[in-house]
Amino acid sequence: MSRICELTGKGRLVGNNVSHANNKTKRVFLPNLQNVTLMSEGLDRSFKFRVSTHGLRSVEHVGGLDNWLLKTSDDQLSANALKVKRELVKKAAA
């Protein structure tokens, strides 16, 4: 499973370990991913996502999963999140 946030698209970063002697070796910075269940108020259902803690705080700041999905562009979202977004738009249109 790839280490990418399903809601923000945040992934791994590459950098250097720098020793006291200024030797540089490659290293990887991984996002802090958590398995969470978020409630959609528009659909009255809960959905499981693998989200970074930064993404989780962003979702709470915007006002919940529904608002986050509606304001976020499709290219950032995972396939699972896109599916939920389409359901939400469909229900709003009806």
Side-chain angles (χ1 to χ4, degrees):
M1 188 181 293
S2 62
R3 305 274 305 172
I4 296 176
C5 176
E6 291 189 45
L7 297 180
T8 61
K10 178 180 274 220
R12 68 183 198 139
L13 293 173
V14 178
N16 287 311
N17 272 334
V18 181
S19 70
H20 186 67
N22 206 27
N23 298 329
K24 295 172 183 73
T25 57
K26 284 291 185 184
R27 64 157 297 176
V28 176
F29 296 93
L30 296 174
N32 185 7
L33 296 179
Q34 305 294 324
N35 293 319
V36 295
T37 303
L38 297 173
M39 183 70 183
S40 170
E41 294 168 3
L43 299 174
D44 283 335
R45 285 182 33 195
S46 59
F47 298 95
K48 290 186 177 185
F49 292 108
R50 193 159 189 223
V51 183
S52 64
T53 52
H54 169 76
L56 195 56
R57 289 181 66 206
S58 298
V59 168
E60 293 298 321
H61 180 76
V62 170
L65 180 65
D66 296 346
N67 291 339
W68 175 263
L69 290 174
L70 292 175
K71 83 168 200 63
T72 306
S73 62
D74 291 350
D75 57 337
Q76 270 191 332
L77 299 172
S78 68
N80 189 19
L82 273 174
K83 186 174 153 188
V84 176
K85 182 177 180 177
R86 284 191 203 106
E87 285 182 40
L88 199 58
V89 170
K90 190 184 212 182
K91 176 128 186 190

